[in-house]
Amino acid sequence: MSGSIRARAGEAVPAGRLAALLLGTTMLAGLPAPVFAQSAEEGDAQQQAQPQPPAAAETIRSITVVGAERLEAQTILSYIRLRVGEEYTSTAADAALKDLGATELFSNFSIRNDAGSVVINVTENPVINRIILEGNKRLKNDKIVPEIKLSARQIFTRSKVRADVARIIELYKRQGRFAATVEPKMVQLPQNRVDIVFEINEGPKSKVRQINIIGNEEFSDGELRSEMVTKQARWHRFFSSNTSYDPDRLAFDQQKLRQFYLTEGYADFRVVSAVAELTPDKRDFIITYVVEEGDRYKFGDVSVESQLRDFDSDRMTANLPMKAGDWYDAKMVEDTVEQMTELAGTFGYAFAEVQPRFDRSREDLTMKVNFVIRDAPRVYVERVDVNGNTLTQDKVVRREFRIAEGDAFNSLQVKRTTARINSLGYFQENFEVAQAEGSQPDRIVLEANVEEQPTGELQLSAGFSSLERFILSASIRQRNFRGRGQTVGFSVNWSRYSRAASVSFTEPYLFDKNISAGVDIYRRDFNSFNYYSSNRNRTFEQSTTGFSLRAGVPLTEYISLIGSYTLNFDDISLDPNVYFSDFDGDGIRTCEPLYAGRYLCEAVGKRTSSILGVSLVYNSLDSRLRPTRGSNMSLTTEFAGLGGSVKYARVRGKAARYWPMGSGFIFSVAAEGGAIHSLGGNEEPGTDGVILTDRFQLGEPQIRGFDIRGVGPRVLRQQYVDDENGDPVLITDRKRVIDDALGGRMYYLGRAELEIPLGTGAREMGLRPSIFVDAGALFSVTRPQLQDNPNGLQQRDTDGNLLYIERVANTDGTFSNVITTNPLAADGITANTASIIPNSRFKEIFLGDSAMPRVSIGIGVNWNSPFGPFRIDFSRVLRKEPGDDTKSFSFNVGTQF
């Protein structure tokens, strides 16, 4: 007896078919039996074989493997149950074929029996050379490859390819792309190797085209849709990611609907069904909710039953926010339970349980609620554990705890501890102090399970600012130096109008005491400018070199007192070739007010400022980086005159408050103001005791809608030019007027801003739009002595003699201009030119010294872009004073704002 059976990889040949093949191998009169084989292409033809009587079983004398390349013959034989010396039967051959197919190692295989000599022919599956993804743009390779089970140097099998296709499609479904398709292809290579190519057609993101609600009578579809997280795809929601279909979000929206109805008193509300149907083009979904509203309930009797000795049941009942007869509100009940639990925690009952008991009456549609505060022991802190910190020292975390080992448990102190550790910025976001049961029922263990994150910052940036043109900056800062909580930093900044370098160090706990200390050493060079013909013209240059020492102590949990000492060396200068005259007899060059203006000339020179300051600070913000709730207030007084050449007293106050408005909206208000008073003694008429560089300035970016130093007192110098008849004509075009901001001794500023949430995608990009209202004013400066000189002013020397310019020939053939008091040249005939100050025909106007508020409104966007923080504002000024410089558009890239 002899026979042959062949099957395709991954396909088990049915026993009936194998029996038919074997029954057709009957021997004929001493002739060899014909060979019957089954391959992937011959399956149907073999089914036509006619059954024959069963042949007698033969003993297997030998088993030979043919076609193996990578696998050893002995390895292949180990997969099957045929053995030499055993009988060869159709059942045994069928089982061997199934075993070979189960290995998924072969693309084709067959078994042939020739009078007890069994030959197994195999064709091995190819080896995968590489996996190639094509067409994936929305999901990059690093997102797909980890999900694929096939990899290079593995054995190719069709079942694994099908599984990987299903995994890739599932990834796209999670992204809301239900129309995505994946077509696998195999590229044959030499040496029985293949490349597997997954051709991906991502398709569009499946949106929610329509949300239908059936069964609602009390509330409109629009009201209910507004409560859902999922939104209908509309053109104005192009930034939102909530318009894509998400099965998890569908279940969440059902809970949102239930919560809404429960807050409105519909205690029997339920969602009967929620069905999402994919449109025929597989692009969008249509979601249909079937709801049953039920009856609306009111509160019945509400009471508190306290089993804690520190809580009086009757008194707590009287203070409940809900009263009998009010519409039932499940959210109010939930909030009340939370407040009672927190209140119990502040009294040391960490494990107190507040259980609301409901008694629903369907007859009069009332809901009685009884809040039961179960008895619990007062709890004490057994120990505080700090886990997970590898760099940060334990003491840095422990000193932020507002509750110590052995203290009575207080939930408010635990929450405050969580906020303080979060504000360090050393650990993971949303850190919380964990609570665990102690060794006894009245003991609790507080655990700070931290996950450290990098605290070093290296920033190299270049940008463009509408204020300062090109900006280059570099800084390095370590906020947790050596794990001690210290901050060290170095920074340099360069732009067209300013340059600065600084080194700083801060120790938040000096000598492990609750005293902060710090020092800053800096050098700042600033070039001021005015506007003329839409161009910026440099006026004065101010160089400041100095240092500042500071120390702070907490007075309470939220209030700190900070003292500081600052020593500055200032050098204020003007270009002598532009603003100075040297026409006195001694050749000394002095600042000429007709060139620069009186206040600039008063500021010129070198000064030393020795400043002693003290600040009272209140801070309850939940985050120093991006606050969403809390307040921040400060009052600072400074006294300059403890040595040095400058004497003044200055006071400034700031306050800000943040409120989360729900759904991601954050509303904030801020106000600030200040005043400075000279302590230098009597002032000359037309002069101000506070020099220009010490006064306050107001404009962009403090108050949007106005240009830099665009608010407050200023002098406009309007030039006279000759008309065609030689008569002087005054230029009043603002773009051709020299504008010098004088600053003020008093200012105030207020701001209200609402941050608007965007979709998840926009939030991940760091986009934070807002609308704002700004108002403020800068005022109180001594009115300067103005000049009005339409005919020009000829200069004189110190004796009052008129000065002239004589053109004199030099020995080398060149000419020089010589100042002389002689109206005629040396020849006694040629008239010398009168020495006139350039642009001396002008008229000065003093404007802007008003305490009336300037008001602007606008929209802005903050963007934490890959190349640095970006801020853009569009503003409209509602109220201004004559002389103010407005600006409707501004942006800032590549530097902090």
Side-chain angles (χ1 to χ4, degrees):
M1 172 182 175
S2 65
S4 176
I5 303 172
R6 184 180 302 154
R8 215 170 23 171
E11 297 180 353
V13 180
R17 185 189 298 181
L18 290 174
L21 292 172
L22 294 172
L23 289 173
T25 60
T26 310
M27 294 181 64
L28 300 176
L31 297 176
V35 177
F36 293 92
Q38 178 181 357
S39 65
E41 294 80 13
E42 299 169 344
D44 293 336
Q46 293 297 331
Q47 266 189 320
Q48 307 303 322
Q50 298 298 321
Q52 300 293 331
E58 290 183 333
T59 301
I60 301 174
R61 292 185 289 108
S62 64
I63 302 176
T64 306
V65 177
V66 178
E69 296 179 0
R70 296 184 305 271
L71 296 173
E72 298 289 340
Q74 198 61 35
T75 302
I76 298 175
L77 292 177
S78 68
Y79 294 140
I80 63 176
R81 284 166 284 183
L82 294 178
R83 297 290 183 270
V84 175
E86 296 181 354
E87 291 184 349
Y88 180 87
T89 64
S90 60
T91 303
D94 192 3
L97 286 173
K98 291 181 178 180
D99 291 338
L100 290 174
T103 65
E104 294 189 340
L105 296 174
F106 312 104
S107 59
N108 284 289
F109 46 88
S110 64
I111 299 177
R112 176 187 177 89
N113 177 31
D114 188 3
S117 296
V118 177
V119 179
I120 301 175
N121 283 283
V122 296
T123 302
E124 294 179 347
N125 271 332
V127 174
I128 297 174
N129 179 55
R130 57 178 177 163
I131 304 294
I132 302 173
L133 302 176
E134 294 183 353
N136 56 311
K137 297 179 180 179
R138 301 294 180 178
L139 279 179
K140 300 303 181 182
N141 287 11
D142 60 346
K143 300 294 184 182
I144 299 178
V145 170
E147 299 294 328
I148 295 177
K149 301 304 181 183
L150 287 176
S151 63
R153 295 183 296 278
Q154 281 189 355
I155 303 300
F156 167 82
T157 65
R158 289 183 173 84
S159 61
K160 290 183 179 179
V161 172
R162 288 192 294 268
D164 283 344
V165 168
R167 290 187 185 97
I168 295 174
I169 291 177
E170 182 61 29
L171 287 177
Y172 277 98
K173 285 183 178 180
R174 294 176 190 173
Q175 297 290 322
R177 298 181 183 276
F178 286 81
T181 59
V182 180
E183 182 178 354
K185 292 186 177 181
M186 183 173 65
V187 180
Q188 294 285 352
L189 299 174
Q191 301 177 351
N192 199 21
R193 295 176 301 121
V194 293
D195 284 344
I196 305 300
V197 181
F198 293 101
E199 292 187 352
I200 301 173
N201 180 9
E202 295 180 319
K205 199 166 188 178
S206 300
K207 301 289 186 180
V208 177
R209 182 180 299 177
Q210 185 70 31
I211 299 177
N212 300 318
I213 304 175
I214 301 174
N216 54 312
E217 297 179 358
E218 298 297 329
F219 302 97
S220 66
D221 288 5
E223 289 178 288
L224 298 182
R225 290 193 195 108
S226 66
E227 297 296 323
M228 300 178 186
V229 176
T230 304
K231 304 298 181 184
Q232 298 178 134
R234 298 294 184 265
W235 68 268
H236 58 276
R237 295 194 177 112
F238 58 92
F239 270 129
S240 176
S241 62
N242 293 334
T243 57
S244 59
Y245 172 72
D246 186 343
D248 295 333
R249 196 183 296 144
L250 183 67
F252 183 69
D253 284 337
Q254 296 180 57
Q255 294 299 321
K256 294 284 289 182
L257 284 175
R258 177 165 175 77
Q259 290 176 8
F260 171 73
Y261 270 94
L262 288 176
T263 59
E264 296 294 332
Y266 294 88
D268 297 329
F269 171 83
R270 68 188 185 98
V271 178
V272 178
S273 66
V275 179
E277 298 177 300
L278 191 62
T279 56
D281 59 3
K282 294 186 178 182
R283 295 178 64 90
D284 298 320
F285 277 87
I286 297 176
I287 301 176
T288 303
Y289 294 94
V290 178
V291 302
E292 185 178 295
E293 293 180 326
D295 296 321
R296 192 178 188 187
Y297 287 77
K298 292 185 176 181
F299 279 111
D301 294 335
V302 288
S303 59
V304 177
E305 180 183 337
S306 174
Q307 299 175 2
L308 298 177
R309 64 179 184 273
D310 294 319
F311 292 178
D312 181 78
S313 299
D314 295 336
R315 186 173 180 181
M316 294 189 70
T317 299
N319 292 325
L320 287 174
M322 69 285 291
K323 305 297 179 184
D326 295 344
W327 290 113
Y328 173 72
D329 187 340
K331 183 65 167 57
M332 187 180 295
V333 174
E334 181 181 338
D335 292 343
T336 302
V337 170
E338 183 177 347
Q339 291 169 7
M340 288 183 178
T341 304
E342 187 172 310
L343 181 62
T346 60
F347 281 81
Y349 299 99
F351 304 115
E353 180 184 356
V354 180
Q355 182 179 7
R357 293 178 178 176
F358 300 94
D359 184 6
R360 182 182 313 184
S361 174
R362 300 186 184 276
E363 288 74 20
D364 57 2
L365 299 179
T366 58
M367 183 78 72
K368 296 180 181 179
V369 184
N370 181 31
F371 297 94
V372 178
I373 306 177
R374 298 193 177 279
D375 191 17
R378 296 197 67 174
V379 176
Y380 297 86
V381 178
E382 182 174 354
R383 69 176 186 272
V384 174
D385 293 338
V386 179
N387 306 315
N389 53 315
T390 57
L391 171 66
T392 306
Q393 298 182 6
D394 273 16
K395 67 178 183 179
V396 174
V397 182
R398 290 181 179 275
R399 65 195 183 194
E400 301 300 329
F401 271 79
R402 303 296 95 181
I403 188 170
E405 296 171 345
D407 290 349
F409 177 82
N410 188 309
S411 58
L412 290 181
Q413 298 292 358
V414 174
K415 290 180 65 175
R416 179 59 181 168
T417 298
T418 299
R420 289 181 65 93
I421 295 178
N422 271 321
S423 293
L424 292 175
Y426 305 160
F427 311 114
Q428 75 273 22
E429 294 184 4
N430 302 320
F431 163 84
E432 289 188 2
V433 176
Q435 303 173 20
E437 295 184 359
S439 58
Q440 299 180 19
D442 62 346
R443 297 291 184 267
I444 191 171
V445 176
L446 301 181
E447 298 179 346
N449 300 313
V450 300
E451 297 176 13
E452 291 185 319
Q453 60 183 6
T455 55
E457 300 173 2
L458 174 63
Q459 296 182 351
L460 301 173
S461 63
F464 185 85
S465 168
S466 60
L467 296 181
E468 300 188 76
R469 301 297 188 261
F470 288 103
I471 298 171
L472 297 174
S473 66
S475 66
I476 182 171
R477 186 173 68 146
Q478 173 56 256
R479 294 181 289 109
N480 189 14
F481 184 62
R482 299 172 58 195
R484 297 173 178 268
Q486 301 165 339
T487 300
V488 295
F490 171 75
S491 66
V492 292
N493 297 276
W494 180 92
S495 71
R496 183 178 179 183
Y497 294 101
S498 63
R499 298 171 183 83
S502 65
V503 178
S504 63
F505 174 80
T506 301
E507 169 56 76
Y509 282 79
L510 187 63
F511 306 123
D512 290 330
K513 304 296 182 181
N514 201 2
I515 301 173
S516 63
V519 59
D520 298 284
I521 304 173
Y522 47 83
R523 168 63 184 251
R524 295 190 291 262
D525 293 330
F526 174 75
N527 297 324
S528 184
F529 55 85
N530 59 26
Y531 288 94
Y532 182 66
S533 299
S534 300
N535 295 320
R536 296 185 178 188
N537 303 295
R538 294 187 180 184
T539 52
F540 68 89
E541 297 182 3
Q542 180 180 2
S543 297
T544 302
T545 304
F547 67 89
S548 177
L549 302 174
R550 59 188 183 279
V553 293
L555 302 180
T556 68
E557 178 61 27
Y558 300 100
I559 301 176
S560 300
L561 185 66
I562 301 174
S564 65
Y565 173 75
T566 302
L567 182 63
N568 288 334
F569 300 94
D570 295 309
D571 185 4
I572 302 170
S573 60
L574 296 169
D575 186 348
N577 296 321
V578 178
Y579 299 106
F580 279 42
S581 63
D582 59 350
F583 303 127
D584 60 3
D586 299 327
I588 299 176
R589 310 188 72 180
T590 58
C591 181
E592 176 54 64
L594 288 176
Y595 289 167
R598 176 178 296 277
Y599 280 135
L600 279 182
C601 287
E602 292 173 355
V604 171
K606 296 183 178 181
R607 293 175 177 82
T608 301
S609 300
S610 178
I611 307 170
L612 190 65
V614 61
S615 298
L616 189 65
V617 179
Y618 173 85
N619 190 337
S620 64
L621 298 179
D622 60 344
S623 172
R624 291 178 296 178
L625 303 177
R626 189 187 170 193
T628 60
R629 67 170 69 243
S631 303
N632 185 20
M633 293 178 283
S634 66
L635 179 64
T636 302
T637 58
E638 294 175 311
F639 169 73
L642 191 67
S645 55
V646 177
K647 298 182 184 299
Y648 63 76
R650 178 165 56 192
V651 60
R652 286 178 294 182
K654 295 182 179 181
R657 181 69 186 271
Y658 296 82
W659 295 271
M661 306 301 292
S663 301
F665 289 88
I666 300 173
F667 179 68
S668 63
V669 294
E672 63 177 280
I676 185 171
H677 178 69
S678 173
L679 303 177
N682 296 328
E683 303 169 5
E684 298 180 6
T687 64
D688 198 294
V690 180
I691 64 173
L692 176 65
T693 54
D694 288 333
R695 298 179 204 138
F696 299 109
Q697 299 284 352
L698 189 61
E700 187 187 359
Q702 301 103 317
I703 179 169
R704 290 159 288 191
F706 294 86
D707 211 337
I708 182 172
R709 299 194 297 276
V711 176
R714 60 207 329 102
V715 170
L716 303 182
R717 178 174 290 196
Q718 302 171 334
Q719 302 292 334
Y720 286 95
V721 297
D722 292 335
D723 62 8
E724 57 186 10
N725 299 322
D727 297 325
V729 177
L730 186 64
I731 300 298
T732 59
D733 183 0
R734 186 63 181 269
K735 294 182 179 180
R736 299 174 60 187
V737 172
I738 297 177
D739 183 348
D740 282 323
L742 304 180
R745 291 181 296 183
M746 296 183 183
Y747 84 102
Y748 65 85
L749 177 64
R751 174 182 300 133
E753 191 160 4
L754 178 65
E755 185 176 312
I756 303 171
L758 296 178
T760 305
R763 286 199 302 270
E764 291 176 353
M765 291 174 58
L767 289 173
R768 293 183 287 118
S770 63
I771 56 176
F772 60 84
V773 178
D774 289 353
L778 176 71
F779 54 97
S780 185
V781 69
T782 302
R783 183 183 181 91
Q785 294 180 350
L786 302 179
Q787 303 286 344
D788 187 0
N789 184 24
N791 299 315
L793 179 65
Q794 186 171 352
Q795 298 179 58
R796 299 175 181 267
D797 62 14
T798 55
D799 296 327
N801 299 315
L802 294 177
L803 298 176
Y804 298 88
I805 299 175
E806 180 180 355
R807 187 173 176 81
V808 178
N810 299 320
T811 56
D812 59 359
T814 60
F815 290 87
S816 299
N817 293 329
V818 178
I819 303 298
T820 178
T821 58
N822 194 340
L824 298 177
D827 57 10
I829 300 174
T830 304
N832 290 327
T833 305
S835 179
I836 304 295
I837 296 176
N839 299 322
S840 61
R841 295 196 299 169
F842 60 83
K843 178 180 181 180
E844 290 184 338
I845 303 175
F846 178 65
L847 297 171
D849 191 8
S850 171
M852 296 299 293
R854 284 73 157 173
V855 182
S856 66
I857 61 173
I859 59 175
V861 177
N862 280 322
W863 178 30
N864 294 328
S865 68
F867 45 85
F870 177 95
R871 171 80 191 193
I872 184 171
D873 290 298
F874 296 90
S875 310
R876 179 179 178 83
V877 174
L878 300 182
R879 191 184 185 286
K880 65 176 184 176
E881 290 292 317
D884 291 342
D885 292 329
T886 61
K887 188 176 186 180
S888 59
F889 168 77
S890 64
F891 69 92
N892 200 318
V893 182
T895 185
Q896 294 293 333
F897 48 83

